[in-house]
Amino acid sequence: EIVLTQSPGTLSLSPGERATLSCRASQSVRDNYLAWYQRKPGQAPRILISGASNRAAGIPDRLSGSGSGTDFTLTISRLEPEDFAVYYCLQYGSSPLTFGGGTKVEIK
Amino acid sequence: QVQLQESGPRLVKPSETLSLTCTVSGGSISNYYCTWVRQPPGERLEWIGNIYYSGTTNYNPSLKSRVTISIDTSKNQFSLTLGSVTAADTAVYYCVKGAGWLPDSWGQGTLVTVSS
């Protein structure tokens, strides 16, 4: 199975700053089937990005996904208060689907 | 807007069977993959498996011998059973409706504890 490694584990930033989250795969993700999710305490995870770079409906353009093969990035250009949360990557190109361990973006 | 709600016992005894049902509202599960995902305390999210509305299933090999996912399109529900549970199966269980294999709309999740 494909192992996804997210880094850093925790990102401490201030509102308005840029956040760069990494997701690295142990082998190439088929067709770049890589998704990003956001989860806040007490809420269901929300899909942000699919296919490595396609924003889901209603996701603001300050969030963007990039990358291919084994290296993927989620970038938040300017952090808003509602962006402080935990982010997960998921590869859905090969079974079993696998998730990264998560990156917590916290207020500095 | 599609909403998913997990239901079932929150406490299961070791060696018994865990059973959860997901009720979908605001949209039909026909033509979609329906997925179960779990997260044990302090661990990463784990894909359990999925079922297509036709009944075709796919399971994580790590759980395949103990898992069954079923679907009832007439009730807009799908279900999870996990047999021979141990403390390692204590987790928050999520039901998720998929866009293809991509988990898309998630339920809130329900904590199931395995303990005597």
Side-chain angles (χ1 to χ4, degrees):
Chain A
E1 71 179 46
I2 296 177
V3 177
L4 299 181
T5 302
Q6 289 189 244
S7 60
T10 302
L11 204 48
S12 298
L13 295 168
S14 300
E17 289 193 295
R18 181 185 187 90
T20 303
L21 288 67
S22 173
C23 177
R24 288 189 170 173
S26 60
Q27 55 189 281
S28 186
V29 176
R30 183 176 70 89
D31 293 333
N32 295 325
Y33 283 161
L34 192 287
W36 291 93
Y37 299 86
Q38 177 194 69
R39 190 174 69 184
K40 297 180 181 179
Q43 295 186 18
R46 178 173 72 147
I47 188 165
L48 304 174
I49 301 286
S50 64
S53 61
N54 302 307
R55 269 188 298 274
I59 302 304
D61 59 8
R62 67 176 183 276
L63 279 76
S64 62
S66 61
S68 63
T70 60
D71 288 338
F72 300 90
T73 301
L74 175 69
T75 301
I76 308 173
S77 59
R78 287 175 50 86
L79 283 165
E80 297 286 342
E82 61 267 29
D83 297 330
F84 292 93
V86 180
Y87 294 81
Y88 297 95
C89 58
L90 161 80
Q91 71 78 23
Y92 56 104
S94 305
S95 184
L97 278 61
T98 50
F99 290 88
T103 291
K104 181 179 181 180
V105 179
E106 64 176 22
I107 299 176
K108 185 174 181 180
Chain B
Q1 184 178 355
V2 173
Q3 293 189 321
L4 296 90
Q5 180 65 58
E6 304 88 351
S7 61
R10 304 300 195 263
L11 180 64
V12 182
K13 289 182 169 56
S15 79
E16 295 190 347
T17 296
L18 179 158
S19 296
L20 293 172
T21 295
C22 181
T23 301
V24 181
S25 58
S28 172
I29 60 175
S30 294
N31 298 315
Y32 289 101
Y33 280 92
C34 297
T35 297
W36 288 96
V37 174
R38 72 178 184 177
Q39 187 170 34
E43 299 186 28
R44 66 180 56 196
L45 291 157
E46 180 179 31
W47 179 78
I48 298 171
N50 64 22
I51 187 166
Y52 194 46
Y53 80 104
S54 63
T56 302
T57 54
N58 301 280
Y59 298 128
N60 192 320
S62 67
L63 297 168
K64 188 174 184 177
S65 63
R66 300 192 290 130
V67 170
T68 301
I69 299 175
S70 58
I71 195 165
D72 187 338
T73 54
S74 67
K75 295 182 179 178
N76 230 31
Q77 293 178 331
F78 59 103
S79 299
L80 168 72
T81 60
L82 179 65
S84 305
V85 297
T86 69
D89 295 308
T90 293
V92 176
Y93 286 78
Y94 296 93
C95 62
V96 195
K97 178 176 155 291
W101 276 61
L102 173 68
D104 187 357
S105 303
W106 294 63
Q108 291 283 350
T110 186
L111 174 63
V112 179
T113 301
V114 178
S115 175
S116 55

